[in-house]
Amino acid sequence: MKKRHSFLFLLIATLFFYSGSSFSTSLTIQDFVTPPTILNASISPNGKYVASTMNKGDARLIVVYDIDQQKVVGSFGDHIIRPYHVSWANNQRLLVNYLVPHGADRLRKRAKTEQNFDLNQYYMYSRLVSTNIDGTESVGLFNDQRAAKDNKNLVSITDYLLNDDAHVLMSANIKTRLTLFKLNINTGKSTKIVKGGRFTIGFINDSEANLTYRYDYKRVAKTIEIFRFNAAEDDWTLIDTIYFDEDDQSKNNIEFKDLVGVRDQHLIYRRLNKETGYHELMSVNETETKVLVSVPDTDIVGVITEGFSNNVIGYNTVKDVYRSHYFDADSQKAYDKISTNYPSENFLFTSLATNGTRALLVSWGADNPLTYSLYDLKTNKTSHFSYPYKTLPQAKLASGQTIHYNTRDGQRITAYLYLPADFDGSKPYPAVVIPHGGPQYRDKLDYDAFIQFIATRGYVVIKPNFRGSSGYGMAFQEAGYKQWGKLMQDDVEDAVHYLVDKNIINKQQVCIAGASYGGYVALMATAKTPDLYKCAISINGLSNLPDLVEYELDRKNTNVRKDFVRTSIGDPKLDRDLLENNSPELLTEKINVPILLIYGDEDKVVPYSQSKQMYKALTKIKKPVQIVRLEDTGHNPFNNKETRRKVFEEMETFLSEYIE
């Protein structure tokens, strides 16, 4: 036993407390695609332990660490049935999410005999297991529900029930209807509470586990309907409807953080103010709907809940970085004190001990993929716990900063500048401009592997939030409507001129790269300003606006969504000239610089024909162009390790050839 603990302490020392030092001289592609050593971590209710999901070679482990004793008290895992998330049911029991491959026993044998065995190629389903902190007395939840076994994902916890150590609330699809259950974590047995409606996607309860609300998502209408539960009548009452417009790609995914919980018997949720363009917190009950919190010129991006309950105790905002705001004055005072340690980084509490002793927080920023720290609530001090990205030492990563510049017509633009680790300001550097996608989206001062990979090749990187971006108010966003290739393009171009004037970048060594709408900007830049850039990279980018508008109108299923396409991009008939005059595919005669086109052959957001048509138009007149097809890949090639590696390889080769 002593030898086992000795080995595990070395493992903890290596994986938990790795400080980021490295003797290597440069970061490789492998460094950027290597997964972090820790996938998630959570502090116990009594503040004594931290449980983590950890990568160790081909295996995945759950490791429980005693903070005061500085030793491992539990470690278990597997290389076939692999855990991917851990949380605390109480001080003695963990709740572990497992990915279970179909035919696990058969695959276990195959893994021993096949040299190139890849578990990720097999069908997986998710299951939740309750276990002691040493991995003993494990119990699968929902073990009494045969109908629930058809669920691919059976891990959805609605509430951890802070006042009940023996139960949690979970939801599962039973005969196509989302149903709420109370689960015993010691036996795995379930008790049905209520079945939802045809479109139900979630339930909300109060701190005493009483059912209070449900919300239904209607995909065609793009709405969420909020219902309050009437316990006396065992019935539901519709109290509000939220409409989701197509004006921001980040709002297309309906997530739990947007409809999160209760406060003083009111449902609290985030909703867009269509006049200001910023999100607010709404408070709703059976008699009234009102604005709970609205922050001038600032987006509310989510709420803070108490522990793992639905009780809302604050909210998060974002400008350049994320910040938390608590309703309780003492909590806010403690948070503000900690924030002085992270002036240019994001940080959030991920879990708090319910006895008020410790909290686990995460920080991340331009040169910090993610760092875990412990916060002592009694001493108001933080201490380093783990930096999981040991192949990416922070000293090798590019630093980031917020800058502002004025455009040619006087508009103030916010942008984020990433400088290579060896940048000292003594000379201008080669640069790559990275306009974001959307375009109704916004960049932040954040860690981005795509950005860091480019910057660590020795290039300055600039990310401008041009007009048309969200997050700066409705007027700023609407200023980009029908300005594809025009005003929005000018804002990006002006960022280059600003940095050249500041002697930060070399005007003879500038390339532009982007994905989706950012890919369109990259292509359009080579036609509109052919002498400004040395090369361009488009990843799943757009090249033909008339074709794009027709495609979007065909796939939008409501008049509101169709109208937004016509308003923001252009009408296929009334604005035909505008669309054609700003389509890179139709402007190839003006292009003289090398172009790299990368596309996923299963992209359902931007048809891959947009890349293939651009390639055909360029090759027809013998313009320099390369094209790379990513097989079995959708709109985001960075979701998959191997396609991410392929994109990095192609970009590194292309940039080194044409930007120097």
Side-chain angles (χ1 to χ4, degrees):
M1 184 62 71
K2 289 183 179 179
K3 289 184 178 179
R4 176 174 179 268
H5 277 174
S6 176
F7 166 76
L8 287 172
F9 183 79
L10 289 175
L11 174 67
I12 292 296
T14 301
L15 301 187
F16 275 162
F17 301 112
Y18 180 81
S19 64
S21 61
S22 174
F23 296 102
S24 63
T25 57
S26 63
L27 298 178
T28 66
I29 291 176
Q30 182 59 39
D31 291 331
F32 278 94
V33 299
T34 298
T37 53
I38 297 179
L39 296 183
N40 90 294
S42 180
I43 200 164
S44 60
N46 61 10
K48 186 177 180 180
Y49 308 108
V50 172
S52 302
T53 311
M54 306 181 70
N55 286 308
K56 183 66 170 67
D58 293 332
R60 190 79 57 71
L61 305 176
I62 299 297
V63 176
V64 181
Y65 182 72
D66 187 313
I67 300 170
D68 294 321
Q69 299 298 319
Q70 298 186 20
K71 67 177 183 180
V72 175
V73 294
S75 177
F76 55 92
D78 193 45
H79 67 289
I80 296 296
I81 301 176
R82 297 188 297 180
Y84 65 92
H85 187 273
V86 63
S87 57
W88 292 88
N90 53 51
N91 289 315
Q92 290 78 40
R93 299 285 286 179
L94 298 171
L95 294 171
V96 182
N97 297 31
Y98 282 92
L99 275 177
V100 183
H102 181 69
D105 292 337
R106 172 176 51 85
L107 295 182
R108 197 177 299 279
K109 295 178 181 178
R110 183 172 292 179
K112 295 179 180 180
T113 59
E114 294 185 5
Q115 184 176 0
N116 297 320
F117 177 80
D118 184 0
L119 185 64
N120 295 320
Q121 299 298 316
Y122 296 92
Y123 177 83
M124 302 272 191
Y125 53 94
S126 300
R127 291 296 182 263
L128 189 65
V129 172
S130 171
T131 180
N132 289 335
I133 62 175
D134 60 357
T136 61
E137 298 185 23
S138 296
V139 174
L141 302 192
F142 279 116
N143 56 32
D144 60 338
Q145 279 287 340
R146 293 181 61 87
K149 292 182 179 180
D150 292 334
N151 284 252
K152 180 179 179 180
N153 298 311
L154 204 56
V155 295
S156 179
I157 298 178
T158 299
D159 198 305
Y160 285 75
L161 300 180
L162 299 181
N163 298 324
D164 184 347
D165 281 353
H167 297 89
V168 295
L169 299 185
M170 296 183 64
S171 58
N173 282 306
I174 305 296
K175 297 180 180 179
T176 73
R177 297 292 178 93
L178 192 70
T179 305
L180 184 65
F181 293 89
K182 190 173 186 177
L183 275 294
N184 187 304
I185 64 167
N186 299 307
T187 66
K189 305 303 181 184
S190 63
T191 302
K192 177 182 172 182
I193 296 177
V194 69
K195 178 184 287 189
R198 178 184 173 189
F199 301 104
T200 300
I201 60 169
F203 301 97
I204 296 289
N205 57 277
D206 63 20
S207 59
E208 301 302 322
N210 299 309
L211 182 64
T212 52
Y213 300 95
R214 84 166 201 245
Y215 44 102
D216 295 4
Y217 177 41
K218 295 187 175 179
R219 295 183 181 276
V220 174
K222 204 71 174 179
T223 62
I224 282 187
E225 294 178 338
I226 302 172
F227 294 84
R228 183 178 180 87
F229 184 62
N230 304 311
E233 301 178 9
D234 192 26
D235 195 13
W236 298 92
T237 301
L238 177 65
I239 58 174
D240 197 12
T241 300
I242 308 170
Y243 294 87
F244 287 82
D245 296 334
E246 291 295 293
D247 59 349
D248 186 339
Q249 66 178 23
S250 67
K251 292 195 286 289
N252 294 339
N253 296 321
I254 308 305
E255 298 181 3
F256 188 65
K257 65 182 177 61
D258 293 322
L259 287 167
V260 287
V262 292
R263 176 175 171 79
D264 299 330
Q265 298 301 311
H266 287 63
L267 178 71
I268 309 300
Y269 63 93
R270 189 182 73 128
R271 187 168 71 176
L272 178 71
N273 183 318
K274 295 183 179 181
E275 293 183 1
T276 66
Y278 296 105
H279 287 89
E280 304 169 327
L281 275 193
M282 306 300 297
S283 174
V284 150
N285 66 6
E286 67 273 14
T287 61
E288 65 174 347
T289 299
K290 64 180 182 180
V291 177
L292 178 65
V293 179
S294 181
V295 185
D297 300 326
T298 303
D299 234 3
I300 293 176
V301 294
V303 303
I304 306 167
T305 56
E306 181 182 16
F308 295 105
S309 72
N310 289 317
N311 186 34
V312 177
I313 59 175
Y315 58 94
N316 295 313
T317 61
V318 64
K319 284 193 173 180
D320 298 325
V321 295
Y322 289 91
R323 283 294 179 261
S324 297
H325 309 269
Y326 292 87
F327 298 134
D328 176 70
D330 289 338
S331 298
Q332 188 62 44
K333 183 178 179 180
Y335 179 88
D336 290 341
K337 184 174 182 179
I338 301 172
S339 68
T340 60
N341 298 321
Y342 305 95
S344 299
E345 284 196 331
N346 310 276
F347 82 99
L348 299 170
F349 288 114
T350 60
S351 55
L352 287 83
T354 55
N355 65 356
T357 56
R358 289 188 175 113
L360 188 68
L361 65 85
V362 293
S363 59
W364 71 101
D367 59 354
N368 174 16
L370 193 73
T371 297
Y372 289 96
S373 298
L374 286 169
Y375 172 61
D376 190 312
L377 279 76
K378 294 181 179 178
T379 64
N380 286 324
K381 293 182 178 180
T382 58
S383 58
H384 176 81
F385 183 70
S386 178
Y387 177 72
Y389 290 83
K390 67 176 186 176
T391 62
L392 298 174
Q394 289 179 263
K396 302 288 184 182
L397 296 174
S399 61
Q401 59 184 267
T402 303
I403 65 170
H404 303 281
Y405 64 92
N406 290 326
T407 64
R408 64 196 68 181
D409 62 344
Q411 175 66 53
R412 188 171 187 261
I413 299 291
T414 299
Y416 303 102
L417 183 67
Y418 291 72
L419 302 174
D422 62 354
F423 183 88
D424 61 8
S426 62
K427 62 178 181 179
Y429 266 52
V432 180
V433 183
I434 311 287
H436 63 68
Q440 286 77 44
Y441 186 66
R442 63 155 297 170
D443 271 322
K444 298 175 285 293
L445 188 61
D446 213 347
Y447 177 81
D448 186 324
F450 179 62
I451 301 299
Q452 282 289 350
F453 178 77
I454 295 174
T456 53
R457 305 307 96 181
Y459 308 121
V460 168
V461 176
I462 181 70
K463 302 194 302 181
N465 280 328
F466 43 82
R467 273 171 283 192
S469 302
S470 60
Y472 295 92
M474 190 57 69
F476 188 86
Q477 178 177 310
E478 290 179 345
Y481 288 1
K482 293 188 180 180
Q483 293 296 318
W484 289 48
K486 301 178 69 179
L487 190 64
M488 290 195 290
Q489 197 80 28
D490 293 343
D491 288 354
V492 175
E493 178 187 340
D494 289 346
V496 177
H497 294 310
Y498 172 81
L499 294 175
V500 168
D501 291 343
K502 292 292 184 181
N503 203 41
I504 295 174
I505 66 175
N506 187 333
K507 65 178 181 180
Q508 302 299 328
Q509 293 180 295
V510 183
C511 284
I512 184 168
S516 194
Y517 173 79
Y520 163 81
V521 177
L523 294 176
M524 191 62 194
T526 65
K528 185 172 183 178
T529 51
D531 298 326
L532 187 62
Y533 300 100
K534 299 285 287 184
C535 61
I537 301 173
S538 169
I539 304 172
N540 288 328
L542 310 150
S543 64
N544 188 305
L545 296 189
D547 287 355
L548 170 71
V549 169
E550 293 291 355
Y551 174 78
E552 289 294 308
L553 291 176
D554 285 343
R555 76 188 190 107
K556 303 304 183 189
N557 45 27
T558 66
N559 288 333
V560 171
R561 300 173 73 192
K562 291 177 186 290
D563 287 344
F564 180 75
V565 172
R566 297 187 183 96
T567 300
S568 61
I569 307 176
D571 186 281
K573 294 181 179 178
L574 300 178
D575 299 310
R576 188 75 184 185
D577 290 345
L578 172 71
L579 298 174
E580 289 181 350
N581 291 338
N582 291 282
S583 293
E585 181 196 331
L586 307 179
L587 303 171
T588 51
E589 290 285 356
K590 299 180 179 180
I591 297 174
N592 296 308
V593 300
I595 291 176
L596 173 62
L597 301 167
I598 301 175
Y599 73 93
D601 62 4
E602 291 189 359
D603 191 346
K604 299 298 189 294
V605 178
V606 175
Y608 62 78
S609 59
Q610 292 267 329
S611 293
K612 295 177 72 174
Q613 288 170 195
M614 186 69 186
Y615 178 74
K616 184 177 180 180
L618 287 167
T619 54
K620 184 177 181 179
I621 57 176
K622 300 184 176 4
K623 294 299 177 79
V625 61
Q626 302 173 32
I627 192 166
V628 176
R629 173 186 175 185
L630 303 174
E631 295 185 0
D632 304 321
T633 302
H635 191 58
N636 187 350
F638 301 105
N639 286 336
N640 178 274
K641 176 181 177 180
E642 293 309 315
T643 55
R644 186 164 67 249
R645 183 195 302 274
K646 179 66 172 175
V647 171
F648 286 167
E649 289 173 346
E650 296 291 344
M651 286 178 52
E652 183 173 34
T653 301
F654 184 80
L655 289 173
S656 64
E657 181 175 356
Y658 294 111
I659 202 172
E660 302 299 338

